[in-house]
Amino acid sequence: FTALTATDGLHAVDVFRKNADKIVCVVLDMTMPHMDGVETFHELKKIRDDVVVILSSGYDEHEVSRRFAGAGIAGFVEKPYTRATLCNAIRRVLDSSTGKR
């Protein structure tokens, strides 16, 4: 995979808009400047409703799940996390979403 990065929520939406047909998964932080993770998630869904999103947060998974109940979040990684933890989360999400796009 090739990783694309963004400096904040607004930049993330712009990067996604320009590359939506190539992006298979988004790792999205809940706390970002200019546009938080909730707003960014909703903007990404407007661009491509089937976007696969893994949320990252210092909040626990229960709190994040409550805020995104029914929204279609594919996975979650609690900060701080290791590279291995992130890779495992991405692999689980991609394995479970195979064939959905």
Side-chain angles (χ1 to χ4, degrees):
F1 294 106
T2 300
L4 304 175
T5 60
T7 56
D8 58 47
L10 289 173
H11 187 212
V13 171
D14 186 50
V15 169
F16 187 78
R17 184 176 288 112
K18 291 176 181 172
N19 299 280
D21 60 325
K22 298 176 216 138
I23 294 175
V24 296
C25 180
V26 173
V27 178
L28 184 61
D29 198 322
M30 289 290 296
T31 307
M32 299 181 292
H34 306 294
M35 182 185 289
D36 69 16
V38 175
E39 293 172 297
T40 303
F41 173 76
H42 290 297
E43 289 302 312
L44 297 179
K45 294 288 276 183
K46 287 178 188 176
I47 296 167
R48 202 181 85 211
D49 187 52
D50 68 340
V51 60
V52 175
V53 175
I54 296 172
L55 285 177
S56 170
S57 178
Y59 297 109
D60 68 21
E61 186 171 4
H62 176 72
E63 173 64 21
V64 172
S65 296
R66 186 183 61 75
R67 292 179 70 182
F68 283 91
I73 297 300
F76 176 80
V77 289
E78 188 172 347
K79 295 191 296 186
Y81 53 82
T82 64
R83 181 183 303 193
T85 300
L86 178 60
C87 288
N88 287 337
I90 292 169
R91 177 53 45 211
R92 274 192 314 274
V93 165
L94 293 180
D95 286 349
S96 70
S97 68
T98 301
K100 290 184 181 177
R101 280 194 62 203

